[in-house]
Amino acid sequence: MFSDRSPELLERQSENASDADSDLEELEDDIAKLDQTVRDFIAVQRDEVVPSASSRPGLRGKGTRGPRKAAKPRGDITARLSKVNQAFLSGDYSLARDLVFEVIRINAETHQAWTTLASIFREQGDMSKSLSAMVYAAHLRPKDVNGWLRCARFALENAGEDEAGSLNTARLCYSAALRVDATNQDARLGKGLVCHKQGHLAAAISDYKVVLKHRPYDLEIVRKLAEACVDNKQADAAVPSAIAAYKRFFEHEKKKPGLEQAEAPWIDIGIYVELFASTGRYQEAIREAKALARWVLGRESESYWCAWFSDDREWDVDDERRASVPEFKSGLWSPELYGTSFPLDLRARLAIYRFRLGNEEEAMKHLCWFDPQSHLTRVFANEFPFLTFDLAEELAHRGHTPLAISYYHILRDLPGDPDATILLQLGRCHSAVGENATAEEYFLAAIDADEDNIDARIELANMYEKAREEEEALILAAEAMALREIRDQDHDNEDSHDHITGTEQPCRRTQRQAQAVPRRTDAFGKRLITRRYRPKRLAGAEKRRQEEQARAVKLAEQYEIVQDLRRKIKEGCHDLIPEWMASSKELVDDFRSIKKFYSWDKYLHFLGPKNHSQQQEAEKPQNELSQMYERLARTLAPQPSNGNGEEGSTDLDGHQGISFNNWLDLFLDYAIGLAITHRREEAYQVCEAARDSTAFRGPEHGFMIHVAWSGKLHVESDIQHADGYSLCYLYER
């Protein structure tokens, strides 16, 4: 019976059915919840008690499965619906809603009542309830494909803040439509697009491939398939299907007369060759790029170039190298159809692929078209930042550091926020040529742009260790280990989630300038690594002195701002409390970042990786970072002869022109402010930081710290009365 069906077809049908069944089960669960809501509503209207789903008996016997045929509405229902329509058309939505609820109370399976209710909610601006009513209406007519499609489109068009929920609803509605009609291309494509947005790339690829069987030359779908395949974790297995789709498209385009081609498909040629490169097939990428460019430019008859693999002389600006090819006839074609007509993005790709194939000489010939001083190169970098970055990276790896720096500078100067990746690479390049002071500036700038940057910390730690700045090197190593630990935990959680759900997380390539930098936080939402002032250790003495002076002036100005805000708050301007809190935090964090005010063990307590000791106990192999941390820790650890190890003690009476008494006031006021705003953990940490500081060792200091600590506990117990308090009255020295 099934002898005419291939095993692949049967397997594909089984996978599609399984996918649809899974989505249908989720949809039915949601509809069951909606059913219960409707029953509860009817029960309230009728003063009845509706049994829960668990207590209702299930279906018995082998009766006919599937939805009942909709009965024709009774006369009284029809009359009520007419009144509903009149109220709706007159704009009296409240009356229309009350009337339609009455219809639902009488018969909750009246389809028109639910569609009208959806329209009422939509006019009232309640899109969530409108969508729920639409879904329930579709549930009453489950074989109406258009009804499910309308629900899906409405969910996507009115996502609002709950984008994830809207995407999930849309996917379930598309799946319900496919359950009715598995050949519906709108539902299949819609489901694929939603899966793509959700990061379910395998499902998206499957749906795109089904649609392309019916619409093989739809370029937008081909592009979507290529994007999903490249981003997929199993790219090696997925990319061939995208390559095949693009091949079909180009073969179809080649059959068209030249006048029918709207515009040259250069962008798609770039995507196509990148598919080969993404799986390491650089030679094929070069061959396809040159062949398709030849076709677009009208020189497809020069097929002899297909056998020329060793270099790219076909696309030189002049005939000097082309003349040595026997089949080439100078003057047969316009010189402009060779070098100058070859798009720069394809030329950049050829250079990158030649570098990766080890053909450095040929790659450098292509780079003659990318003069760092040329305005055209800057325009190119703005349009293709990833290609420019890859060019710079290949140059840096092969020792062409000055040229790599020139390209990185172009990327650094592009509009947008500072890019930590580019700053990191600039630091590495300057370090490679011995310009350590400049490298330090770039590494620090990378950390400033991305507070959780691990690589910049490691590079700086290595530099500082060599420069005998072991203390700062150890701090950076500890921060890097803590960040790496939490990053590895995040990756483990993602891998575990993917294994359970069978889905992939999106890793779509976006321009670096547009990337948001994730902030690492602990279980309480607090920043894992506190932002702190990082003085330049490798700069010249004069530059360091100027920087310290500028820092002192800035802190003094910041302190005056805090004091001014404090006075205004005492006068009743309580709306300034958030601004005062933010300004106080900057000063407190700066003080806490100063090593000389803390003993060494206290200073490293919150920096060190939490599981480092456990790793040691498990005798796991150490990487270079952990080895450096251990080496520096042994070098800087207090000696037993030092007794208590309070090497951080100080005989000073102030910091940056601010007395320690005033610093303590700031600490304790800020801690109480944190307690009032329900940030208990941070408040405790600020009090502990004050207690542990060697700057606050006087008896009066300890007394005030414990008084504030007690006051903070009192504030926490009576927090409901604190909203009207001025922070400055909660603690006075």
Side-chain angles (χ1 to χ4, degrees):
M1 177 177 179
F2 299 103
S3 58
D4 58 335
R5 299 188 183 183
S6 66
E8 292 81 2
L9 177 60
L10 293 174
E11 182 180 357
R12 185 166 59 251
Q13 290 176 340
S14 175
E15 290 176 355
N16 290 340
S18 175
D19 184 51
D21 287 342
S22 175
D23 286 336
L24 183 65
E25 289 176 4
E26 192 171 349
L27 177 66
E28 288 176 341
D29 287 342
D30 286 351
I31 290 176
K33 295 176 183 177
L34 186 59
D35 274 336
Q36 184 62 43
T37 303
V38 174
R39 281 190 292 272
D40 292 343
F41 167 76
I42 296 172
V44 171
Q45 296 294 322
R46 295 176 176 173
D47 294 327
E48 297 174 351
V49 177
V50 178
S52 64
S54 59
S55 63
R56 291 196 305 272
L59 293 175
R60 297 182 180 180
K62 296 183 179 180
T64 303
R65 298 183 63 186
R68 301 189 304 272
K69 185 177 181 180
K72 185 177 180 180
R74 295 175 355 210
D76 59 331
I77 296 293
T78 303
R80 284 181 168 84
L81 288 174
S82 178
K83 292 181 180 179
V84 170
N85 291 334
Q86 291 176 6
F88 180 81
L89 293 174
S90 65
D92 192 346
Y93 301 125
S94 296
L95 176 60
R97 185 180 59 184
D98 293 340
L99 292 173
V100 81
F101 279 160
E102 180 67 17
V103 174
I104 293 173
R105 184 185 67 81
I106 297 172
N107 183 0
E109 295 186 359
T110 306
H111 180 268
Q112 186 179 346
W114 288 101
T115 57
T116 304
L117 182 60
S119 299
I120 293 171
F121 282 135
R122 183 166 58 250
E123 292 298 326
Q124 291 180 326
D126 195 335
M127 300 305 175
S128 177
K129 290 183 179 179
S130 179
L131 177 60
S132 297
M134 288 181 68
V135 171
Y136 194 78
H139 166 59
L140 294 175
R141 294 184 180 177
K143 292 189 177 182
D144 181 5
V145 173
N146 290 329
W148 290 115
L149 294 181
R150 282 194 296 271
C151 289
R153 286 193 291 267
F154 185 84
L156 295 175
E157 292 169 0
N158 299 276
E161 296 181 357
D162 186 17
E163 183 180 7
S166 297
L167 287 174
N168 191 53
T169 300
R171 179 181 180 182
L172 296 177
C173 291
Y174 282 130
S175 296
L178 290 172
R179 182 76 174 183
V180 179
D181 180 8
T183 64
N184 189 289
Q185 298 307 307
D186 290 338
R188 181 69 64 183
L189 178 58
K191 178 171 169 285
L193 293 172
V194 170
C195 288
H196 198 157
K197 288 183 179 180
Q198 289 180 312
H200 305 309
L201 299 181
I205 291 170
S206 176
D207 287 329
Y208 290 151
K209 289 162 68 175
V210 171
V211 176
L212 283 172
K213 290 178 182 178
H214 302 274
R215 296 153 61 178
Y217 312 125
D218 190 322
L219 185 55
E220 289 302 319
I221 303 176
V222 173
R223 289 173 177 172
K224 284 291 184 181
L225 175 63
E227 181 182 341
C229 289
V230 170
D231 289 346
N232 192 16
K233 288 183 177 179
Q234 288 77 35
D236 289 344
V239 162
S241 62
I243 291 176
Y246 256 121
K247 278 186 176 179
R248 284 194 300 269
F249 169 76
F250 285 127
E251 290 301 323
H252 178 262
E253 291 295 303
K254 288 179 181 179
K255 296 176 183 178
K256 291 182 178 180
L259 295 177
E260 291 186 17
Q261 296 179 8
E263 58 179 305
W266 292 119
I267 294 177
D268 293 288
I269 293 174
I271 297 173
Y272 177 56
V273 300
E274 195 64 29
L275 289 171
F276 288 98
S278 67
T279 54
R281 298 158 64 181
Y282 301 117
Q283 194 67 59
E284 293 176 76
I286 293 172
R287 182 192 65 205
E288 293 295 327
K290 295 194 291 187
L292 289 171
R294 198 179 308 121
W295 158 64
V296 171
L297 295 174
R299 294 192 295 104
E300 194 174 9
S301 60
E302 288 190 320
S303 57
Y304 58 85
W305 287 114
C306 294
W308 200 269
F309 299 116
S310 58
D311 57 45
D312 307 318
R313 65 182 63 192
E314 176 187 2
W315 302 103
D316 288 353
V317 69
D318 54 43
D319 291 343
E320 182 179 352
R321 291 201 300 169
R322 283 193 292 268
S324 62
V325 178
E327 297 88 347
F328 175 73
K329 296 180 180 179
S330 180
L332 182 62
W333 301 94
S334 170
E336 294 182 355
L337 296 179
Y338 292 93
T340 55
S341 294
F342 198 62
L344 286 178
D345 64 297
L346 287 183
R347 190 175 292 280
R349 287 186 169 92
L350 290 190
I352 293 167
Y353 303 157
R354 288 295 181 186
F355 271 129
R356 293 173 182 174
L357 288 170
N359 194 342
E360 186 173 321
E361 181 180 356
E362 191 65 23
M364 294 302 293
K365 290 184 182 296
H366 286 296
L367 291 187
C368 294
W369 294 78
F370 300 94
D371 181 3
Q373 306 303 320
S374 171
H375 173 70
L376 294 177
T377 303
R378 297 181 180 275
V379 172
F380 171 80
N382 188 53
E383 187 175 359
F384 299 99
F386 268 104
L387 289 177
T388 308
F389 182 88
D390 288 344
L391 282 174
E393 197 169 39
E394 295 296 333
L395 288 167
H397 287 168
R398 286 158 181 80
H400 301 282
T401 308
L403 186 55
I405 290 175
S406 298
Y407 288 140
Y408 283 132
H409 280 168
I410 294 174
L411 291 171
R412 180 201 60 187
D413 296 337
L414 291 179
D417 295 331
D419 189 320
T421 304
I422 294 170
L423 296 171
L424 173 65
Q425 293 302 108
L426 276 168
R428 285 171 170 166
C429 286
H430 284 285
S431 177
V433 295
E435 299 173 353
N436 290 335
T438 305
E440 178 191 33
E441 291 186 14
Y442 279 117
F443 290 140
L444 290 173
I447 295 175
D448 190 57
D450 174 10
E451 298 173 32
D452 299 329
N453 195 296
I454 297 174
D455 292 337
R457 284 178 167 85
I458 294 175
E459 296 287 353
L460 270 176
N462 282 316
M463 288 178 59
Y464 287 154
E465 184 181 21
K466 294 176 182 177
R468 308 299 296 174
E469 294 282 351
E470 290 96 343
E471 185 176 296
E472 185 65 18
L474 179 58
I475 294 170
L476 287 164
E479 291 178 352
M481 292 184 70
L483 289 168
R484 178 175 286 179
E485 179 181 304
I486 195 67
R487 183 198 64 184
D488 292 343
Q489 291 175 359
D490 291 344
H491 287 176
D492 290 342
N493 292 337
E494 289 177 6
D495 292 342
S496 174
H497 176 74
D498 292 348
H499 176 72
I500 294 172
T501 62
T503 62
E504 301 87 11
Q505 298 301 314
C507 52
R508 185 175 303 170
R509 297 177 67 183
T510 56
Q511 289 193 4
R512 287 182 169 84
Q513 276 69 21
Q515 287 179 334
V517 178
R519 299 298 181 213
R520 303 289 183 187
T521 58
D522 60 16
F524 302 100
K526 181 180 177 294
R527 293 278 300 113
L528 184 63
I529 302 297
T530 303
R531 180 185 285 272
R532 65 185 180 90
Y533 170 61
R534 302 176 188 272
K536 296 181 177 65
R537 308 282 176 160
L538 306 181
E542 179 62 22
K543 188 172 184 178
R544 293 176 66 173
R545 185 183 64 81
Q546 293 175 357
E547 186 177 291
E548 289 296 330
Q549 289 178 345
R551 181 67 180 171
V553 171
K554 181 179 178 181
L555 285 177
E557 293 175 351
Q558 187 75 14
Y559 182 74
E560 288 302 320
I561 292 173
V562 169
Q563 292 301 98
D564 183 58
L565 290 171
R566 191 176 192 271
R567 285 190 292 270
K568 291 179 180 179
I569 292 172
K570 290 182 68 174
E571 294 170 0
C573 300
H574 296 169
D575 58 316
L576 296 177
I577 289 177
E579 184 180 352
W580 176 85
M581 290 281 290
S583 299
S584 297
K585 182 181 186 304
E586 290 185 27
L587 289 171
V588 169
D589 285 348
D590 180 85
F591 189 95
R592 293 176 65 185
S593 71
I594 305 299
K595 162 63 187 67
K596 65 182 179 181
F597 296 142
Y598 293 90
S599 63
W600 186 242
D601 59 329
K602 295 293 185 183
Y603 192 70
L604 285 183
H605 174 68
F606 67 95
L607 290 177
K610 300 296 182 296
N611 292 334
H612 187 61
S613 59
Q614 291 90 324
Q615 291 176 356
Q616 292 293 91
E617 292 172 1
E619 296 183 355
K620 293 183 178 180
Q622 288 185 299
N623 53 35
E624 292 183 7
L625 177 59
S626 60
Q627 290 175 359
M628 178 171 62
Y629 177 86
E630 293 293 339
R631 182 171 62 251
L632 290 167
R634 286 194 300 269
T635 302
L636 294 172
Q639 300 301 318
S641 59
N642 289 355
N644 57 12
E646 296 292 334
E647 70 275 16
S649 60
T650 177
D651 295 329
L652 301 175
D653 58 1
H655 171 58
Q656 301 290 21
I658 304 170
S659 71
F660 286 144
N661 286 340
N662 288 337
W663 276 111
L664 184 59
D665 286 347
L666 188 63
F667 265 76
L668 302 183
D669 276 351
Y670 179 58
I672 293 175
L674 289 171
I676 290 176
T677 54
H678 307 276
R679 295 158 66 180
R680 176 179 177 181
E681 287 296 324
E682 292 179 70
Y684 270 100
Q685 289 171 2
V686 171
C687 283
E688 288 176 348
R691 181 199 62 189
D692 295 338
S693 175
T694 58
F696 309 131
R697 288 305 191 196
E700 71 281 6
H701 293 155
F703 174 75
M704 298 310 300
I705 291 171
H706 285 88
V707 167
W709 216 323
S710 301
K712 180 169 67 65
L713 292 173
H714 175 71
V715 167
E716 290 173 1
S717 64
D718 295 303
I719 197 71
Q720 66 272 20
H721 302 297
D723 293 340
Y725 288 177
S726 166
L727 296 181
C728 301
Y729 288 129
L730 289 173
Y731 169 69
E732 288 285 353
R733 289 194 73 253

